PDB file of all heavy atoms in Angstrom:
ATOM      1  N   MET A   1     181.194 107.839 134.019  1.00  0.00           N
ATOM      2  CA  MET A   1     182.380 108.065 134.842  1.00  0.00           C
ATOM      3  C   MET A   1     183.457 107.047 134.519  1.00  0.00           C
ATOM      4  O   MET A   1     184.641 107.384 134.389  1.00  0.00           O
ATOM      5  CB  MET A   1     181.997 107.991 136.320  1.00  0.00           C
ATOM      6  CG  MET A   1     183.156 108.261 137.292  1.00  0.00           C
ATOM      7  SD  MET A   1     183.703 109.973 137.347  1.00  0.00           S
ATOM      8  CE  MET A   1     185.347 109.831 136.637  1.00  0.00           C
ATOM      9  N   MET A   2     183.088 105.772 134.378  1.00  0.00           N
ATOM     10  CA  MET A   2     184.084 104.739 134.080  1.00  0.00           C
ATOM     11  C   MET A   2     184.646 104.902 132.671  1.00  0.00           C
ATOM     12  O   MET A   2     185.841 104.684 132.451  1.00  0.00           O
ATOM     13  CB  MET A   2     183.476 103.351 134.250  1.00  0.00           C
ATOM     14  CG  MET A   2     183.141 102.994 135.691  1.00  0.00           C
ATOM     15  SD  MET A   2     184.526 103.257 136.836  1.00  0.00           S
ATOM     16  CE  MET A   2     183.939 104.704 137.762  1.00  0.00           C
ATOM     17  N   LEU A   3     183.822 105.296 131.720  1.00  0.00           N
ATOM     18  CA  LEU A   3     184.332 105.531 130.363  1.00  0.00           C
ATOM     19  C   LEU A   3     185.284 106.725 130.351  1.00  0.00           C
ATOM     20  O   LEU A   3     186.299 106.711 129.632  1.00  0.00           O
ATOM     21  CB  LEU A   3     183.167 105.752 129.399  1.00  0.00           C
ATOM     22  CG  LEU A   3     182.317 104.508 129.120  1.00  0.00           C
ATOM     23  CD1 LEU A   3     181.055 104.891 128.349  1.00  0.00           C
ATOM     24  CD2 LEU A   3     183.104 103.452 128.348  1.00  0.00           C
ATOM     25  N   THR A   4     184.992 107.741 131.149  1.00  0.00           N
ATOM     26  CA  THR A   4     185.902 108.883 131.264  1.00  0.00           C
ATOM     27  C   THR A   4     187.228 108.444 131.880  1.00  0.00           C
ATOM     28  O   THR A   4     188.306 108.871 131.431  1.00  0.00           O
ATOM     29  CB  THR A   4     185.253 109.981 132.124  1.00  0.00           C
ATOM     30  OG1 THR A   4     184.040 110.408 131.514  1.00  0.00           O
ATOM     31  CG2 THR A   4     186.184 111.185 132.273  1.00  0.00           C
ATOM     32  N   LEU A   5     187.175 107.586 132.880  1.00  0.00           N
ATOM     33  CA  LEU A   5     188.401 107.091 133.505  1.00  0.00           C
ATOM     34  C   LEU A   5     189.214 106.264 132.519  1.00  0.00           C
ATOM     35  O   LEU A   5     190.451 106.393 132.460  1.00  0.00           O
ATOM     36  CB  LEU A   5     188.044 106.260 134.741  1.00  0.00           C
ATOM     37  CG  LEU A   5     189.224 105.677 135.531  1.00  0.00           C
ATOM     38  CD1 LEU A   5     190.160 106.783 136.001  1.00  0.00           C
ATOM     39  CD2 LEU A   5     188.717 104.859 136.725  1.00  0.00           C
ATOM     40  N   ILE A   6     188.544 105.427 131.746  1.00  0.00           N
ATOM     41  CA  ILE A   6     189.251 104.642 130.723  1.00  0.00           C
ATOM     42  C   ILE A   6     189.921 105.565 129.710  1.00  0.00           C
ATOM     43  O   ILE A   6     191.082 105.353 129.319  1.00  0.00           O
ATOM     44  CB  ILE A   6     188.268 103.680 130.020  1.00  0.00           C
ATOM     45  CG1 ILE A   6     187.811 102.591 130.993  1.00  0.00           C
ATOM     46  CG2 ILE A   6     188.915 103.055 128.774  1.00  0.00           C
ATOM     47  CD1 ILE A   6     186.642 101.773 130.489  1.00  0.00           C
ATOM     48  N   GLU A   7     189.211 106.614 129.301  1.00  0.00           N
ATOM     49  CA  GLU A   7     189.795 107.568 128.356  1.00  0.00           C
ATOM     50  C   GLU A   7     191.025 108.253 128.957  1.00  0.00           C
ATOM     51  O   GLU A   7     192.044 108.436 128.266  1.00  0.00           O
ATOM     52  CB  GLU A   7     188.756 108.615 127.953  1.00  0.00           C
ATOM     53  CG  GLU A   7     189.273 109.600 126.918  1.00  0.00           C
ATOM     54  CD  GLU A   7     188.218 110.594 126.464  1.00  0.00           C
ATOM     55  OE1 GLU A   7     187.063 110.509 126.923  1.00  0.00           O
ATOM     56  OE2 GLU A   7     188.561 111.473 125.640  1.00  0.00           O
ATOM     57  N   ALA A   8     190.967 108.589 130.229  1.00  0.00           N
ATOM     58  CA  ALA A   8     192.100 109.241 130.880  1.00  0.00           C
ATOM     59  C   ALA A   8     193.301 108.317 130.964  1.00  0.00           C
ATOM     60  O   ALA A   8     194.455 108.748 130.822  1.00  0.00           O
ATOM     61  CB  ALA A   8     191.695 109.704 132.277  1.00  0.00           C
ATOM     62  N   ILE A   9     193.051 107.026 131.196  1.00  0.00           N
ATOM     63  CA  ILE A   9     194.148 106.067 131.345  1.00  0.00           C
ATOM     64  C   ILE A   9     194.705 105.621 130.008  1.00  0.00           C
ATOM     65  O   ILE A   9     195.927 105.536 129.822  1.00  0.00           O
ATOM     66  CB  ILE A   9     193.672 104.839 132.155  1.00  0.00           C
ATOM     67  CG1 ILE A   9     193.311 105.241 133.584  1.00  0.00           C
ATOM     68  CG2 ILE A   9     194.742 103.742 132.168  1.00  0.00           C
ATOM     69  CD1 ILE A   9     192.613 104.144 134.366  1.00  0.00           C
ATOM     70  N   ALA A  10     193.810 105.325 129.052  1.00  0.00           N
ATOM     71  CA  ALA A  10     194.248 104.637 127.828  1.00  0.00           C
ATOM     72  C   ALA A  10     193.866 105.327 126.531  1.00  0.00           C
ATOM     73  O   ALA A  10     194.163 104.799 125.458  1.00  0.00           O
ATOM     74  CB  ALA A  10     193.683 103.212 127.832  1.00  0.00           C
ATOM     75  N   GLY A  11     193.212 106.470 126.598  1.00  0.00           N
ATOM     76  CA  GLY A  11     192.919 107.213 125.383  1.00  0.00           C
ATOM     77  C   GLY A  11     191.488 107.059 124.891  1.00  0.00           C
ATOM     78  O   GLY A  11     190.754 106.142 125.271  1.00  0.00           O
ATOM     79  N   ARG A  12     191.114 107.961 123.991  1.00  0.00           N
ATOM     80  CA  ARG A  12     189.748 108.019 123.478  1.00  0.00           C
ATOM     81  C   ARG A  12     189.368 106.749 122.721  1.00  0.00           C
ATOM     82  O   ARG A  12     188.238 106.259 122.840  1.00  0.00           O
ATOM     83  CB  ARG A  12     189.607 109.231 122.556  1.00  0.00           C
ATOM     84  CG  ARG A  12     188.215 109.428 121.982  1.00  0.00           C
ATOM     85  CD  ARG A  12     187.282 110.009 122.992  1.00  0.00           C
ATOM     86  NE  ARG A  12     185.934 110.199 122.456  1.00  0.00           N
ATOM     87  CZ  ARG A  12     184.950 110.800 123.111  1.00  0.00           C
ATOM     88  NH1 ARG A  12     185.163 111.265 124.325  1.00  0.00           N
ATOM     89  NH2 ARG A  12     183.756 110.933 122.573  1.00  0.00           N
ATOM     90  N   GLY A  13     190.306 106.214 121.940  1.00  0.00           N
ATOM     91  CA  GLY A  13     189.995 105.033 121.152  1.00  0.00           C
ATOM     92  C   GLY A  13     189.587 103.849 122.004  1.00  0.00           C
ATOM     93  O   GLY A  13     188.625 103.137 121.690  1.00  0.00           O
ATOM     94  N   LYS A  14     190.299 103.621 123.094  1.00  0.00           N
ATOM     95  CA  LYS A  14     189.960 102.507 123.986  1.00  0.00           C
ATOM     96  C   LYS A  14     188.592 102.741 124.627  1.00  0.00           C
ATOM     97  O   LYS A  14     187.779 101.818 124.737  1.00  0.00           O
ATOM     98  CB  LYS A  14     191.030 102.356 125.064  1.00  0.00           C
ATOM     99  CG  LYS A  14     190.681 101.367 126.166  1.00  0.00           C
ATOM    100  CD  LYS A  14     190.448  99.952 125.646  1.00  0.00           C
ATOM    101  CE  LYS A  14     191.753  99.255 125.309  1.00  0.00           C
ATOM    102  NZ  LYS A  14     191.532  97.820 125.001  1.00  0.00           N
ATOM    103  N   ALA A  15     188.322 103.967 125.054  1.00  0.00           N
ATOM    104  CA  ALA A  15     187.026 104.266 125.660  1.00  0.00           C
ATOM    105  C   ALA A  15     185.891 104.045 124.666  1.00  0.00           C
ATOM    106  O   ALA A  15     184.836 103.511 125.015  1.00  0.00           O
ATOM    107  CB  ALA A  15     187.011 105.696 126.185  1.00  0.00           C
ATOM    108  N   GLU A  16     186.107 104.439 123.428  1.00  0.00           N
ATOM    109  CA  GLU A  16     185.081 104.236 122.399  1.00  0.00           C
ATOM    110  C   GLU A  16     184.840 102.752 122.158  1.00  0.00           C
ATOM    111  O   GLU A  16     183.695 102.320 121.970  1.00  0.00           O
ATOM    112  CB  GLU A  16     185.486 104.934 121.103  1.00  0.00           C
ATOM    113  CG  GLU A  16     185.404 106.456 121.188  1.00  0.00           C
ATOM    114  CD  GLU A  16     185.952 107.138 119.947  1.00  0.00           C
ATOM    115  OE1 GLU A  16     186.674 106.461 119.165  1.00  0.00           O
ATOM    116  OE2 GLU A  16     185.673 108.337 119.745  1.00  0.00           O
ATOM    117  N   ALA A  17     185.909 101.974 122.154  1.00  0.00           N
ATOM    118  CA  ALA A  17     185.763 100.532 121.932  1.00  0.00           C
ATOM    119  C   ALA A  17     184.952  99.886 123.056  1.00  0.00           C
ATOM    120  O   ALA A  17     184.079  99.047 122.809  1.00  0.00           O
ATOM    121  CB  ALA A  17     187.136  99.883 121.824  1.00  0.00           C
ATOM    122  N   VAL A  18     185.243 100.276 124.294  1.00  0.00           N
ATOM    123  CA  VAL A  18     184.493  99.727 125.429  1.00  0.00           C
ATOM    124  C   VAL A  18     183.046 100.204 125.389  1.00  0.00           C
ATOM    125  O   VAL A  18     182.115  99.434 125.654  1.00  0.00           O
ATOM    126  CB  VAL A  18     185.166 100.120 126.758  1.00  0.00           C
ATOM    127  CG1 VAL A  18     184.311  99.678 127.938  1.00  0.00           C
ATOM    128  CG2 VAL A  18     186.557  99.506 126.854  1.00  0.00           C
ATOM    129  N   ALA A  19     182.842 101.474 125.040  1.00  0.00           N
ATOM    130  CA  ALA A  19     181.485 102.018 124.966  1.00  0.00           C
ATOM    131  C   ALA A  19     180.634 101.221 123.976  1.00  0.00           C
ATOM    132  O   ALA A  19     179.452 100.965 124.227  1.00  0.00           O
ATOM    133  CB  ALA A  19     181.531 103.488 124.570  1.00  0.00           C
ATOM    134  N   ARG A  20     181.235 100.811 122.871  1.00  0.00           N
ATOM    135  CA  ARG A  20     180.475 100.011 121.889  1.00  0.00           C
ATOM    136  C   ARG A  20     180.050  98.673 122.478  1.00  0.00           C
ATOM    137  O   ARG A  20     178.950  98.187 122.222  1.00  0.00           O
ATOM    138  CB  ARG A  20     181.307  99.805 120.626  1.00  0.00           C
ATOM    139  CG  ARG A  20     181.416 101.046 119.753  1.00  0.00           C
ATOM    140  CD  ARG A  20     181.982 100.715 118.394  1.00  0.00           C
ATOM    141  NE  ARG A  20     183.378 100.278 118.459  1.00  0.00           N
ATOM    142  CZ  ARG A  20     184.413 101.094 118.382  1.00  0.00           C
ATOM    143  NH1 ARG A  20     184.222 102.401 118.257  1.00  0.00           N
ATOM    144  NH2 ARG A  20     185.656 100.619 118.438  1.00  0.00           N
ATOM    145  N   THR A  21     180.905  98.054 123.282  1.00  0.00           N
ATOM    146  CA  THR A  21     180.563  96.741 123.835  1.00  0.00           C
ATOM    147  C   THR A  21     179.447  96.824 124.867  1.00  0.00           C
ATOM    148  O   THR A  21     178.759  95.822 125.106  1.00  0.00           O
ATOM    149  CB  THR A  21     181.784  96.065 124.497  1.00  0.00           C
ATOM    150  OG1 THR A  21     182.122  96.738 125.716  1.00  0.00           O
ATOM    151  CG2 THR A  21     182.977  96.041 123.561  1.00  0.00           C
ATOM    152  N   ILE A  22     179.257  97.977 125.488  1.00  0.00           N
ATOM    153  CA  ILE A  22     178.200  98.105 126.487  1.00  0.00           C
ATOM    154  C   ILE A  22     176.985  98.847 125.945  1.00  0.00           C
ATOM    155  O   ILE A  22     176.020  99.083 126.673  1.00  0.00           O
ATOM    156  CB  ILE A  22     178.710  98.804 127.773  1.00  0.00           C
ATOM    157  CG1 ILE A  22     179.209 100.217 127.488  1.00  0.00           C
ATOM    158  CG2 ILE A  22     179.815  97.973 128.421  1.00  0.00           C
ATOM    159  CD1 ILE A  22     179.640 100.965 128.750  1.00  0.00           C
ATOM    160  N   GLY A  23     177.025  99.221 124.655  1.00  0.00           N
ATOM    161  CA  GLY A  23     175.877  99.862 124.028  1.00  0.00           C
ATOM    162  C   GLY A  23     175.692 101.317 124.389  1.00  0.00           C
ATOM    163  O   GLY A  23     174.588 101.855 124.316  1.00  0.00           O
ATOM    164  N   GLN A  24     176.789 101.981 124.757  1.00  0.00           N
ATOM    165  CA  GLN A  24     176.723 103.372 125.179  1.00  0.00           C
ATOM    166  C   GLN A  24     177.288 104.267 124.086  1.00  0.00           C
ATOM    167  O   GLN A  24     178.430 104.106 123.668  1.00  0.00           O
ATOM    168  CB  GLN A  24     177.516 103.571 126.475  1.00  0.00           C
ATOM    169  CG  GLN A  24     177.489 104.977 127.036  1.00  0.00           C
ATOM    170  CD  GLN A  24     176.139 105.350 127.629  1.00  0.00           C
ATOM    171  OE1 GLN A  24     175.292 104.500 127.841  1.00  0.00           O
ATOM    172  NE2 GLN A  24     175.935 106.617 127.902  1.00  0.00           N
ATOM    173  N   GLY A  25     176.493 105.236 123.638  1.00  0.00           N
ATOM    174  CA  GLY A  25     176.925 106.079 122.536  1.00  0.00           C
ATOM    175  C   GLY A  25     177.883 107.188 122.934  1.00  0.00           C
ATOM    176  O   GLY A  25     178.732 107.590 122.154  1.00  0.00           O
ATOM    177  N   GLY A  26     177.758 107.719 124.123  1.00  0.00           N
ATOM    178  CA  GLY A  26     178.619 108.813 124.566  1.00  0.00           C
ATOM    179  C   GLY A  26     178.701 108.854 126.069  1.00  0.00           C
ATOM    180  O   GLY A  26     177.982 108.140 126.756  1.00  0.00           O
ATOM    181  N   TRP A  27     179.570 109.711 126.563  1.00  0.00           N
ATOM    182  CA  TRP A  27     179.733 109.798 128.029  1.00  0.00           C
ATOM    183  C   TRP A  27     180.020 111.230 128.467  1.00  0.00           C
ATOM    184  O   TRP A  27     180.883 111.516 129.279  1.00  0.00           O
ATOM    185  CB  TRP A  27     180.810 108.835 128.521  1.00  0.00           C
ATOM    186  CG  TRP A  27     182.159 108.936 127.848  1.00  0.00           C
ATOM    187  CD1 TRP A  27     183.239 109.652 128.282  1.00  0.00           C
ATOM    188  CD2 TRP A  27     182.565 108.289 126.649  1.00  0.00           C
ATOM    189  NE1 TRP A  27     184.292 109.487 127.412  1.00  0.00           N
ATOM    190  CE2 TRP A  27     183.915 108.637 126.399  1.00  0.00           C
ATOM    191  CE3 TRP A  27     181.942 107.427 125.744  1.00  0.00           C
ATOM    192  CZ2 TRP A  27     184.628 108.184 125.294  1.00  0.00           C
ATOM    193  CZ3 TRP A  27     182.644 106.968 124.642  1.00  0.00           C
ATOM    194  CH2 TRP A  27     183.975 107.348 124.437  1.00  0.00           C
ATOM    195  N   SER A  28     179.232 112.132 127.933  1.00  0.00           N
ATOM    196  CA  SER A  28     179.361 113.534 128.296  1.00  0.00           C
ATOM    197  C   SER A  28     179.077 113.739 129.781  1.00  0.00           C
ATOM    198  O   SER A  28     178.280 113.032 130.390  1.00  0.00           O
ATOM    199  CB  SER A  28     178.373 114.370 127.480  1.00  0.00           C
ATOM    200  OG  SER A  28     178.256 115.673 128.007  1.00  0.00           O
ATOM    201  N   ALA A  29     179.730 114.740 130.357  1.00  0.00           N
ATOM    202  CA  ALA A  29     179.486 115.096 131.756  1.00  0.00           C
ATOM    203  C   ALA A  29     178.237 115.947 131.917  1.00  0.00           C
ATOM    204  O   ALA A  29     177.801 116.201 133.038  1.00  0.00           O
ATOM    205  CB  ALA A  29     180.692 115.838 132.332  1.00  0.00           C
ATOM    206  N   GLY A  30     177.640 116.376 130.816  1.00  0.00           N
ATOM    207  CA  GLY A  30     176.450 117.213 130.889  1.00  0.00           C
ATOM    208  C   GLY A  30     175.271 116.489 131.517  1.00  0.00           C
ATOM    209  O   GLY A  30     175.085 115.279 131.333  1.00  0.00           O
ATOM    210  N   HIS A  31     174.455 117.222 132.269  1.00  0.00           N
ATOM    211  CA  HIS A  31     173.355 116.611 133.015  1.00  0.00           C
ATOM    212  C   HIS A  31     172.310 117.676 133.300  1.00  0.00           C
ATOM    213  O   HIS A  31     172.649 118.829 133.586  1.00  0.00           O
ATOM    214  CB  HIS A  31     173.900 116.047 134.331  1.00  0.00           C
ATOM    215  CG  HIS A  31     172.920 115.249 135.127  1.00  0.00           C
ATOM    216  ND1 HIS A  31     172.250 114.160 134.630  1.00  0.00           N
ATOM    217  CD2 HIS A  31     172.491 115.387 136.419  1.00  0.00           C
ATOM    218  CE1 HIS A  31     171.480 113.635 135.564  1.00  0.00           C
ATOM    219  NE2 HIS A  31     171.599 114.369 136.665  1.00  0.00           N
ATOM    220  N   ASP A  32     171.044 117.298 133.197  1.00  0.00           N
ATOM    221  CA  ASP A  32     169.955 118.207 133.539  1.00  0.00           C
ATOM    222  C   ASP A  32     169.528 117.930 134.971  1.00  0.00           C
ATOM    223  O   ASP A  32     168.612 117.146 135.230  1.00  0.00           O
ATOM    224  CB  ASP A  32     168.783 118.008 132.572  1.00  0.00           C
ATOM    225  CG  ASP A  32     167.630 118.966 132.841  1.00  0.00           C
ATOM    226  OD1 ASP A  32     167.781 119.859 133.713  1.00  0.00           O
ATOM    227  OD2 ASP A  32     166.576 118.828 132.189  1.00  0.00           O
ATOM    228  N   SER A  33     170.185 118.556 135.922  1.00  0.00           N
ATOM    229  CA  SER A  33     169.910 118.285 137.331  1.00  0.00           C
ATOM    230  C   SER A  33     168.477 118.615 137.706  1.00  0.00           C
ATOM    231  O   SER A  33     167.870 117.949 138.558  1.00  0.00           O
ATOM    232  CB  SER A  33     170.872 119.081 138.222  1.00  0.00           C
ATOM    233  OG  SER A  33     172.209 118.691 137.978  1.00  0.00           O
ATOM    234  N   GLY A  34     167.898 119.637 137.066  1.00  0.00           N
ATOM    235  CA  GLY A  34     166.542 120.045 137.398  1.00  0.00           C
ATOM    236  C   GLY A  34     165.487 119.017 137.037  1.00  0.00           C
ATOM    237  O   GLY A  34     164.355 119.081 137.534  1.00  0.00           O
TER     238      GLY A  34
END
């Protein structure tokens, strides 16, 4: 959610840069609720 918010505010590149610093490869909204 926070990476999505960063992308909305500052763009995909900034979100990707932050994701690398926290060790997160992606931030898809997809989820297996079951």
